[in-house]
Amino acid sequence: MRVMAQLAMVMNLDKCIGCHTCSVTCKQAWTNRTGMEYVWFNNVETRPGLGYPRRYEDQELWQGGWVRKPNGRLALKAGGRFKKLVNIFSNPRLPGIEDYYEPWTYDYETLLNAPQQSTFPVARPYSLITGKPMNVTWSANWDDDLGGAVEHGPKDVMLKGIEDKVKFEFEKTFMFYLPRICEHCLNPSCAASCPSGAIYKRSEDGIVLVDQDACRGWRMCISGCPYKKIYFNHKTGKAEKCTFCYPRVEVGIPTVCSETCVGRLRYIGIMLYDADAVLAAASVEDDHELYQAQLGCFLDPNDLEVARQAEVAGIPGDWIEAARRSPVRRLILDYKVALPLHPEYRTMPMVWYIPPLSPVVDVVKDTGHDAEDRDNLFAAIDTLRIPVEYLANLFTAGDIEPVNDVLKKLAAMRSYMRDLNLGRDPRPDIPASVGMGEEDLYEMFRLLAIAKYADRYVIPTAHAEQAHALEEIATDCAVSAYDGGQSQPFGTGSGQPVRIAVEDLMVRSARLKDTEQ
């Protein structure tokens, strides 16, 4: 057993309102600069829908992730070293700008300086790439709120095999929001795809980063990532990706997307896992077994032997204690209501999701029956407008049983808490019907519904002895210095690396708090 620690995130999709605040704040913090106009490290998709980039889940087209060979070994779906060498100067498996979108701005001067006239002046869209006038035909959230669903909805890859169960007529359809960031996988295919070895997984916290000095812009990582969460900066000629806001989490502050989330649906915490078990778990034969196999990699920090092995591995005591209090661990391991996104890619993702229950209540209400009664809710799960099969295609490689179990636990929680809120005697048979105790069900409710800031984010600070004085190169976190940059063979304006000490961030945070007070 080789114990390692991993920062992980869980998102409760029942609470996402699709406001895109997380996307905008991430954009302002990380990608609001030249060469990254089309890039969204965090985006919020409406499902069913095409996603961003368009149809990124079609791995027959993009060849992302891993596949299991007949001999039981894993191989990159896009091919091994020889295939990459053959295609290194012309990678055929890349999304084009039309799959993302051509970023644009507007001719605001026409509006601001137009003379008085009988018709209202029009600000034409101009491409931020070419500077020429353009017609806007697609964007990162073009099909937001099922916009254009009749045309685009049926093209959702996750509808394959269940097309007859999802209706796109206005009165029959249903939607939910799916926020996405980099999965910071335990078995990242992007790192394995990189010919330069520029992508690495930090041993202290599992965050996957791109070494901007080592990156040569081959873009094989973009093909290799099945979630398409690595982007090419056409200004610097380098690959960039979500950094899990590591300068923030190193000092115990949540990621920008989590900090600014209006719905308070994100949870961040530490998971301990057995690194020696990851490859075997990712290599199980049946895709339906991948979810349980990944659960088997996680370790219980309350186990004395696990805690001892963690100390032997050099994991600090406060990190082990944070793993014991981790909300992520409770949702994934204890309550088993969080599920991984596309485990069939075999990357062992570490951003998990609690599937939405809301449509069940709506379905029951429409029948005129009690929408919070346990029996009614359980019976209605099979009649979701978004069928359980669709959720299973997203979160459990098509296996509907784990999704059914999660939805029943959430339904039981609603029914049990309604009795308490109405002053009735609690019914112990409700939690027992989903294999939980009354106390566990109540604690799950508190965590999902009314958890405070300190309960949602249990983030231990980094240790100087681990992080080499906590000093990082700015380009490692996708911040480049363009002023004074020199022309390079793989991009212009890359500039010289600027060193930032994390202590500076701590001082600035303290000053900001003093100012607010």
Side-chain angles (χ1 to χ4, degrees):
M1 179 170 61
R2 183 159 58 97
V3 183
M4 296 191 75
Q6 168 84 39
L7 269 170
M9 181 182 291
V10 168
M11 302 191 208
N12 184 1
L13 298 185
D14 237 353
K15 299 172 75 174
C16 183
I17 62 174
C19 64
H20 297 274
T21 304
C22 53
S23 300
V24 173
T25 50
C26 177
K27 182 72 174 175
Q28 291 296 321
W30 294 104
T31 65
N32 189 22
R33 50 200 161 83
T34 307
M36 303 289 281
E37 294 89 347
Y38 75 102
V39 173
W40 298 86
F41 286 167
N42 183 111
N43 70 288
V44 181
E45 301 169 357
T46 297
R47 305 312 299 254
L50 298 186
Y52 178 74
R54 200 164 4 190
R55 291 174 63 88
Y56 71 91
E57 293 159 307
D58 186 356
Q59 302 312 328
E60 296 306 313
L61 173 63
W62 304 121
Q63 304 285 296
W66 302 89
V67 292
R68 185 182 186 276
K69 300 172 72 174
N71 61 6
R73 302 188 65 178
L74 290 183
L76 290 169
K77 195 174 181 69
R81 295 180 181 179
F82 178 75
K83 188 173 181 180
K84 283 182 167 43
L85 181 63
V86 170
N87 296 317
I88 198 164
F89 292 109
S90 179
N91 185 354
R93 300 292 183 181
L94 284 175
I97 194 66
E98 68 279 359
D99 296 303
Y100 295 104
Y101 70 102
E102 187 169 356
W104 72 89
T105 186
Y106 292 96
D107 179 15
Y108 293 108
E109 289 299 314
T110 298
L111 294 180
L112 296 174
N113 300 323
Q116 185 175 358
Q117 51 191 296
S118 58
T119 58
F120 196 85
V122 176
R124 296 183 63 186
Y126 281 78
S127 170
L128 285 174
I129 296 178
T130 65
K132 298 179 180 179
M134 61 172 287
N135 292 320
V136 179
T137 58
W138 192 255
S139 75
N141 61 341
W142 192 260
D143 51 359
D144 200 24
D145 293 341
L146 295 182
V150 175
E151 177 184 356
H152 303 300
K155 300 175 185 176
D156 184 344
V157 180
M158 294 298 100
L159 293 178
K160 186 176 181 180
I162 58 171
E163 294 88 348
D164 59 321
K165 296 189 177 183
V166 177
K167 306 300 181 183
F168 286 96
E169 291 85 354
F170 177 77
E171 70 279 5
K172 295 181 180 179
T173 192
F174 179 81
M175 68 181 185
F176 64 93
Y177 300 107
L178 181 71
R180 291 202 308 118
I181 64 171
C182 168
E183 296 287 331
H184 296 278
C185 307
L186 297 182
N187 184 35
S189 54
C190 59
S193 300
C194 179
S196 307
I199 301 181
Y200 63 100
K201 187 173 179 64
R202 299 208 309 187
S203 59
E204 60 266 35
D205 54 19
I207 296 176
V208 178
L209 298 173
V210 181
D211 183 342
Q212 296 288 285
D213 290 332
C215 179
R216 293 295 176 263
W218 299 121
R219 287 171 270 189
M220 296 294 178
C221 55
I222 300 174
S223 299
C225 174
Y227 304 97
K228 292 296 173 278
K229 276 299 176 181
I230 299 187
Y231 302 89
F232 183 68
N233 185 327
H234 59 83
K235 175 69 173 179
T236 64
K238 308 285 187 178
E240 299 191 19
K241 63 178 293 297
C242 160
T243 65
F244 211 84
C245 290
Y246 76 81
R248 294 173 58 92
V249 298
E250 281 180 353
V251 292
I253 305 173
T255 61
V256 168
C257 58
S258 300
E259 182 85 70
T260 59
C261 176
V262 174
R264 299 181 179 181
L265 59 98
R266 301 183 188 227
Y267 302 79
I268 298 177
I270 293 292
M271 294 290 291
L272 298 183
Y273 68 97
D274 183 2
D276 290 336
V278 170
L279 183 58
S283 305
V284 296
E285 184 174 2
D286 187 353
D287 285 354
H288 288 183
E289 296 177 3
L290 286 166
Y291 163 59
Q292 291 295 339
Q294 186 167 355
L295 283 181
C297 293
F298 298 138
L299 302 173
D300 183 1
N302 295 303
D303 187 305
L304 294 180
E305 178 60 21
V306 170
R308 190 184 70 81
Q309 290 292 341
E311 291 179 0
V312 171
I315 299 175
D318 59 334
W319 279 56
I320 300 173
E321 180 58 31
R324 294 189 180 110
R325 297 186 296 110
S326 170
V328 169
R329 181 190 63 80
R330 291 161 66 192
L331 293 170
I332 292 176
L333 274 185
D334 294 349
Y335 307 139
K336 289 186 172 61
V337 292
L339 302 170
L341 182 64
H342 292 304
E344 69 272 19
Y345 299 157
R346 299 179 183 269
T347 59
M348 311 288 278
M350 288 306 294
V351 176
W352 289 40
Y353 296 86
I354 300 173
L357 178 66
S358 297
V360 182
V361 176
D362 294 338
V363 167
V364 178
K365 275 184 182 177
D366 292 342
T367 65
H369 292 87
D370 186 348
E372 299 289 350
D373 181 80
R374 180 201 66 178
D375 295 330
N376 289 340
L377 284 175
F378 282 10
I381 285 175
D382 294 330
T383 62
L384 283 170
R385 288 182 178 181
I386 293 294
V388 174
E389 290 88 343
Y390 184 86
L391 297 174
N393 286 343
L394 279 174
F395 301 122
T396 53
D399 186 6
I400 65 173
E401 288 306 315
V403 178
N404 267 324
D405 291 343
V406 171
L407 294 178
K408 287 180 178 179
K409 286 180 180 179
L410 297 177
M413 180 186 72
R414 285 191 184 217
S415 185
Y416 181 80
M417 288 308 303
R418 188 186 64 157
D419 287 339
L420 289 182
N421 292 332
L422 293 178
R424 300 173 182 169
D425 292 333
R427 294 171 52 190
D429 61 303
I430 294 178
S433 67
V434 291
M436 298 181 70
E438 290 186 79
E439 186 175 344
D440 286 339
L441 196 67
Y442 182 73
E443 287 301 317
M444 184 174 79
F445 159 75
R446 289 188 60 84
L447 184 58
L448 292 179
I450 57 176
K452 296 182 179 180
Y453 188 93
D455 298 320
R456 300 197 310 274
Y457 310 126
V458 180
I459 307 171
T461 57
H463 282 241
E465 66 272 18
Q466 283 187 325
H468 308 292
L470 294 179
E471 199 171 64
E472 298 290 348
I473 294 179
T475 49
D476 283 346
C477 60
V479 178
S480 301
Y482 292 110
D483 294 335
Q486 310 223 343
S487 179
Q488 301 292 336
F490 301 104
T492 59
S494 55
Q496 297 298 317
V498 179
R499 306 194 71 82
I500 330 177
V502 79
E503 289 84 350
D504 292 343
L505 181 60
M506 295 176 69
V507 171
R508 291 171 187 170
S509 298
R511 288 176 180 171
L512 180 60
K513 289 180 180 178
D514 292 339
T515 303
E516 292 175 346
Q517 292 174 354

